[in-house]
Amino acid sequence: MKINLWRSLPHEDAPFFRILHIIVAALILAQIINSNFTEREAIDGHSLETVITWLHIVSGLGLIVLGAVMLAWMFSQRGFSWYFAWLRADFRAIRQDLLTLAKGRLPEAQSGGIAATIQGLGVVSLLAVAIIGGLWFAVYNSQGASSTLAHSLLHWHKFLTTFIEIYFYAHGAMGILHIFLEGYHRYSAGK
């Protein structure tokens, strides 16, 4: 079962990216959970909230590094246009994927397609949220909590986090659906 589940996970041909993807997903889930227990006033304290807040800050800074590594690896493997063809107003692959979905089939990953577009937007969004959180931390430490810039950065960090949460759950649900459908197709082919 363990081996079959491992084989069902995406990016079988790229073990580095698969592990990086799992680590980033686990850190994002931890960030979503522990964000409910963080307090900016706890940064200088000695409580459980202080530990949770610092865990959130340190893992958030780690996500900046891991997100940048992920984006760099993605670009080195497939290039910018694979993920961001829509920036050149090239929607052919998205249209093709939608037609495939309309026929009740999952489209294959392709340059400029739905999967590539969603992956590119997800990693850029992750980096935006993490970088804004890191900037908030830097401004908070240099100018204090009453700084207008710190307040604005924290607002944007929280606001954009909403989209990361939606992306995380939707991407995870689609990934699980994909794993089950792939398993179903393999099972059906073996009968």
Side-chain angles (χ1 to χ4, degrees):
M1 174 70 178
K2 179 182 171 186
I3 292 172
N4 288 336
L5 178 61
W6 184 252
R7 284 187 189 148
S8 297
L9 292 174
H11 312 297
E12 185 175 13
D13 57 328
F16 167 76
F17 190 71
R18 177 186 274 183
I19 297 294
L20 181 62
H21 194 245
I22 291 168
I23 292 169
V24 167
L27 283 174
I28 291 171
L29 180 60
Q31 291 291 84
I32 290 170
I33 293 168
N34 72 21
S35 68
N36 297 313
F37 305 102
T38 60
E39 292 290 332
R40 64 178 173 218
E41 297 82 17
I43 288 176
D44 298 323
H46 302 335
S47 65
L48 179 59
E49 281 182 337
T50 302
V51 172
I52 293 170
T53 300
W54 276 103
L55 186 63
H56 187 82
I57 291 167
V58 170
S59 58
L61 294 172
L63 279 169
I64 294 171
V65 173
L66 293 176
V69 168
M70 182 177 270
L71 192 62
W73 188 87
M74 289 164 44
F75 288 166
S76 74
Q77 297 300 302
R78 296 200 167 145
F80 181 85
S81 62
W82 178 276
Y83 303 98
F84 299 103
W86 57 272
L87 286 174
R88 295 186 329 238
D90 182 358
F91 299 101
R92 289 174 294 172
I94 291 175
R95 188 173 25 255
Q96 184 180 6
D97 284 356
L98 290 172
L99 291 172
T100 302
L101 285 170
K103 294 176 185 173
R105 295 190 333 256
L106 286 177
E108 293 293 322
Q110 64 174 318
S111 178
I114 292 173
T117 299
I118 290 171
Q119 185 175 346
L121 288 172
V123 175
V124 169
S125 298
L126 164 66
L127 279 169
V129 169
I131 288 169
I132 290 171
L135 288 172
W136 168 82
F137 181 66
V139 170
Y140 176 85
N141 280 326
S142 65
Q143 297 179 9
S146 61
S147 162
T148 305
L149 180 57
H151 178 72
S152 181
L153 287 168
L154 186 58
H155 164 76
W156 280 104
H157 177 69
K158 289 179 179 181
F159 174 72
L160 293 173
T161 296
T162 304
F163 297 103
I164 289 295
E165 288 184 29
I166 292 168
Y167 175 83
F168 179 80
Y169 296 126
H171 185 69
M174 291 297 123
I176 290 168
L177 177 64
H178 187 78
I179 288 169
F180 282 125
L181 288 175
E182 285 292 316
Y184 173 77
H185 290 302
R186 285 181 188 169
Y187 175 78
S188 298
K191 280 188 160 186

